[in-house]
Amino acid sequence: MDANVTTLDRQARAGEAARAEALRAALAREGFSGDVETGIGPRLVAATDNSVYQVMPAAVLHPLAAADVNAAVRAARAVPDLALSPRGGGTGTNGQSLTGGAVLDLSRHMNRILALDVEARTVAVEPGVVLDQLNAALRPHGFFFPPAVSTATRATIGGMIATDASGKGSRIYGRTSDHVLSLDVVLSDGSDFTVRPRSRAEVEAVVAAGGVAGEAHAEVLRVVEEHAALIADTFPAMNRGLTGYNLQGVTRQDGTYDLVRLLAGSEGTLAVTKRAVLRITPLPKHRLLMVARYGSFDAALRDVQHLLAADPLAIEILDDKTLELASRDVIWSGLESVLGGPAAAAVRGLNVVEFAGDDRDALAAAAERCAALLAASPFPAMDWARIDDPARVAQVWTMREKAVGLMGRLGEMEGTRRQGTAFVEDTAVPPERLADFVAEFRGLLDRRGLGYGMYGHADVGCLHVRPSLDMTDPAEEAMIRAVSDEVADLVKRHGGLIWGEHGRGYRGEFSPLFFGPVLYDELCRIKGAFDPDNLLNPGKLASPGLGGPIDRIDQVPTRGSFDRLIAEDQRAGLGRAVSCNGNAACHSWDDYDAMCPSYHATRDRVQSPKGRATLLRAWMRLRSEAARGRDVAAELAAVEADTKASMDTCLSCKACASLCPVKVNIPEMRSRFLGAYHASRPRPLRDHLLRHLEAGLGLVRAAPGLAGALMGSGPVRGLLRGRFGLVDLPHPAPTRWRPRASGGGPRVVLLRDSFLSTFDGAVIDAAGRLLERLGYRVTVSAVRPNGKALQVLGLEGAFAKVARRALAERARLAAEGVPLVSLDAATGLLHDGEYKEYAEYSVLQPLAPVVSIDRFLADEAAAGRIPARPRGAGPAFDILLHCTEKTAQPETAARWGRVMTHLGLDARFPKVGCCGMAGLFGHQAEQAELSRRIFDIGWRSRIGPDPAATLATGFSCRCQTERFAGHRPRHPVEAILAHLEGSAG
């Protein structure tokens, strides 16, 4: 090993530590009250976004209040050579917020909606407010904020302003800057300024006052007046315009000057926003879609111009690759009847045409016009369908929104490690030239042998294209430069832009190509006036000195350059971590979203699937480098510690395995990590206890009264907490029902889970009695360990034994030709998930499917084997679904709904998050407070005032509700049985 490399690495780490310490001291002097993170875990997570790049910051700052933004700017100025880069949702596709300096993350705390004036149609927000959060608050008042970006669940308003985001519907609603009235910003000297439209006299007054604001206004005023004609000629007359330093929008038709237009799209290089006043728009009462399928993508593209005559709100296009990826996602279960069906294999393009308004009749007429245009089109569609059901409309747009993440799975279709890669993915040309442009674009990629997916805003000429690359291959990484250069020339030739929507970031080097040398020099002068010391997000759009350094796309470290250092043996079982493309779907603002309850409770991105995947990548890389003899012991120890801490807060709920667009299954990788981690470290006593827990539950079932008395006694509770870190264990309540010794009817086998059988036997009792009442001859399996705790703890060898035994018993029962029915989602789904890995080693005969109780009842009712029952009295039940169940099998709610209706009951399915229990997670003493927080934000409010009216399908969920709300919700089978018994009585 090269000793000089080791010395340089140590010196670099020492320099980073010194800068971080200097920044901490400066922040303390300035009175910064937010979070300051200099540990390796938070910095690694902030080193990436949704782009190909990876740049390690010196620190991550989370301001708590507006004054902290000023303090952060002043503190950063005090540390030599330290840049400061604002960050919002972290969804940038071009490295906009990446920096080797300090990241100023405005999303964790500065996310309040400050004031809403419905009469004036304005709202004031902090920059960390998320678009969906804002629209949820506006919806009850009949308003919304129109820019409809696909990352609306996590994109912040500050980030949308920074890139002047637009999204679906921009042909009508425009860009973010069209809806921003004023910005309260912090300038590069730490001072405050309000950016708003000003008259000439007001601008001159700002100039006369001097300071950074005065210098900046003077420079902008000079440029827009001296170069008015050149600006008009250079900026294309396109909906998507030029992002970044929008000189065209500064001079308004009424003679005022609007620097909001200049700052919107400036990506934090001119000032930092800490408050924005936005114009809000009345929310259309109705929406409908016309969805047209085409036999070629070119026909779909060319038909767009024809369909614009119907004057829709938007026309979104998707190619066959995007549709194929969507068909593999959980969202497809609700869309197959619309987007799949006959001739689905022949579909090569899809146009989704949206109409919105307050008049249903007008919308219907618009749909008829659209249908007539489709029928008469010279570019005929295969077929089309009208969708006006609000739920189905929402599903279509959810599918479209997921496309940004789904592109990460292009390699699966190719059988390679390639992924759809963002670097030329937001080109925009005049809409009438889009089809010809795309034909050349596709030819360019085809000549290089690159796969790709295409989708986007066809009505405004903006297309999202993600070529499929393996960035760990240096030859393919080099394609970034070659393809970018060629696409830039192609898009300019067609009168468009290489950045039509997602900002410039590290693509700022192409600015002279599109602005020309004269205007680009003027942009540099404007940057110099706003930020003479190049403090704010340097190297991205312009330099304060003419000819100063701008980062080039092939001179910034990429994620692939780090990932290629991971040895093949390290990737075993952990490869999905490398697949994470940073789309950040796991960072949703909505606490009722199922994915990643630990993130919802903490808002700490280290405790999210993306954060955990990032740490796993670094851990694998450093282990690989250590094996090759490089001295990385200190860094590896730090990363390993942060990875372990992050994995400890993972509930292993598996929602990410279904809801993450690239299926980053953190629980599976957590298990692998823990197995490797404890291979060289002793396990805690609790792990040894849990290893044998299920085997010991037989004793509890044999003497539940004695076991309950012992477990509830003070000494035993103290022992469990003190020695094993376990609290609030459930009270034994084993099953009491016994199957009838004889009887007719079809036979069914109930699979008895050890936890239900021991602690919640009433569910097995009710299920058995219900099935017998419905005419079935019920038998039960033996109570066997399911091994879930072993799998969660990474005890792979012990879990394998349990899995093989379970599969062998399943094969034996299957040979008898009877349905196998499970009652608890978390354990029943093991058969479709974790057990599968061991199936080939355990049985020779076929395995019958294990079906959930809701699937069994729904299928039997549909087949006419369960008679319908009359509607009973009483209100509808609220059924709260287990998070693993509803994400792995999204059709569960619909099945339960059909079952309840068929048997005479009404049911609703409130959107609900995680209960916070997740097996034994909530019983761990060190996680008890986090478990309660998760329950409070994602579950408590969904429990109605009448405990009998709330049902819960998960064993953990019922335990948690009893623990924190004081009552145990019933399982749906208990409510159905009570209804049938009451009707009969």
Side-chain angles (χ1 to χ4, degrees), residues 115-159:
L116 171 62
D117 188 332
V118 173
E119 289 191 9
R121 297 188 175 186
T122 65
V123 64
V125 300
E126 291 182 317
V129 168
V130 169
L131 177 58
D132 271 1
Q133 172 194 358
L134 176 59
N135 281 333
L138 296 176
R139 192 172 298 116
H141 302 280
F143 288 88
F144 78 124
F145 188 64
V149 298
S150 64
T151 53
T153 61
R154 62 271 195 200
T156 63
I157 298 299

Side-chain angles (χ1 to χ4, degrees), residues 82-143:
L82 183 75
L84 186 68
S85 295
R87 183 177 176 116
T91 59
T93 57
N94 300 290
Q96 287 97 318
S97 64
L98 303 187
T99 179
V103 169
L104 187 67
D105 189 327
L106 296 151
S107 68
R108 181 180 293 177
H109 301 304
M110 292 190 64
N111 51 21
R112 291 162 288 231
I113 297 171
L114 301 171
L116 171 62
D117 188 332
V118 173
E119 289 191 9
R121 297 188 175 186
T122 65
V123 64
V125 300
E126 291 182 317
V129 168
V130 169
L131 177 58
D132 271 1
Q133 172 194 358
L134 176 59
N135 281 333
L138 296 176
R139 192 172 298 116
H141 302 280
F143 288 88

Side-chain angles (χ1 to χ4, degrees), residues 301-382:
L301 283 166
R302 294 188 186 279
D303 203 24
V304 168
Q305 290 303 301
H306 189 66
L307 296 176
L308 285 174
D311 195 25
L313 172 64
I315 303 179
E316 297 285 299
I317 194 166
L318 299 94
D319 73 352
D320 56 320
K321 298 283 183 64
T322 311
L323 291 170
E324 169 65 18
L325 289 168
S327 72
R328 303 181 184 190
D329 191 80
V330 293
I331 190 63
W332 197 255
S333 65
L335 293 175
E336 187 170 8
S337 61
V338 177
L339 306 182
V347 176
R348 294 292 178 267
L350 188 82
N351 278 331
V352 181
V353 188
E354 181 176 31
F355 299 91
D358 295 339
D359 186 330
R360 282 187 184 274
D361 293 338
L363 286 186
E368 290 176 6
R369 288 195 303 273
C370 185
L373 289 168
L374 284 163
S377 174
F379 311 103
M382 294 166 53

Side-chain angles (χ1 to χ4, degrees), residues 795-814:
L795 294 164
E796 186 175 359
F799 177 70
K801 293 177 182 177
V802 172
R804 289 173 183 140
R805 289 193 199 107
L807 290 166
E809 181 173 40
R810 177 177 161 193
R812 179 182 62 77
L813 292 170

Side-chain angles (χ1 to χ4, degrees), residues 538-554:
K540 298 292 171 59
L541 304 188
S543 168
L546 300 186
I550 289 291
D551 293 321
R552 293 175 57 82
I553 59 173
D554 52 359

Side-chain angles (χ1 to χ4, degrees), residues 582-770:
N583 70 83
C586 52
H587 293 166
S588 169
W589 76 277
D590 186 354
D591 290 332
Y592 298 117
D593 277 356
M595 186 158 43
C596 206
S598 56
Y599 171 73
H600 286 297
T602 64
R603 295 293 162 177
D604 180 356
R605 289 175 180 166
V606 174
Q607 298 182 62
S608 73
K610 178 181 175 181
R612 292 174 178 126
T614 299
L615 289 168
L616 283 170
R617 292 162 93 144
W619 179 70
M620 288 187 285
R621 171 177 58 82
L622 290 167
R623 279 166 60 96
S624 301
E625 294 192 68
R628 288 191 286 265
R630 190 166 171 228
D631 181 12
V632 293
E635 189 177 0
L636 175 58
V639 167
E640 194 163 61
D642 279 9
T643 306
K644 175 63 164 56
S646 180
M647 294 299 175
D648 283 346
T649 62
C650 171
L651 282 76
S652 292
C653 66
K654 291 192 66 178
C656 55
S658 300
L659 297 183
C660 170
V662 289
K663 304 294 181 275
V664 175
N665 187 339
I666 293 298
E668 178 182 308
M669 293 187 288
R670 176 185 186 270
S671 178
R672 302 274 185 178
F673 170 80
L674 290 176
Y677 181 86
H678 287 296
S680 59
R681 295 173 178 80
R683 284 185 174 270
L685 283 175
R686 180 170 62 210
D687 285 16
H688 296 290
L689 176 65
L690 297 180
R691 181 178 193 134
H692 303 289
L693 174 65
E694 286 192 273
L697 291 181
L699 297 174
V700 176
R701 290 191 294 275
L706 176 61
L710 285 172
M711 292 169 63
S713 67
V716 172
R717 288 205 313 269
L719 176 67
L720 288 171
R721 174 186 279 273
R723 293 282 289 166
F724 299 101
L726 291 171
V727 296
D728 299 342
L729 294 180
H731 190 81
T735 181
R736 299 180 182 278
W737 165 82
R738 293 291 180 268
R740 294 172 184 164
S742 61
R747 186 178 163 214
V748 61
V749 175
L750 279 181
L751 297 180
R752 290 196 294 179
D753 161 56
S754 62
F755 288 96
L756 276 184
S757 298
T758 308
F759 299 110
D760 204 7
V763 175
I764 299 176
D765 296 349
R769 289 165 55 200
L770 173 63

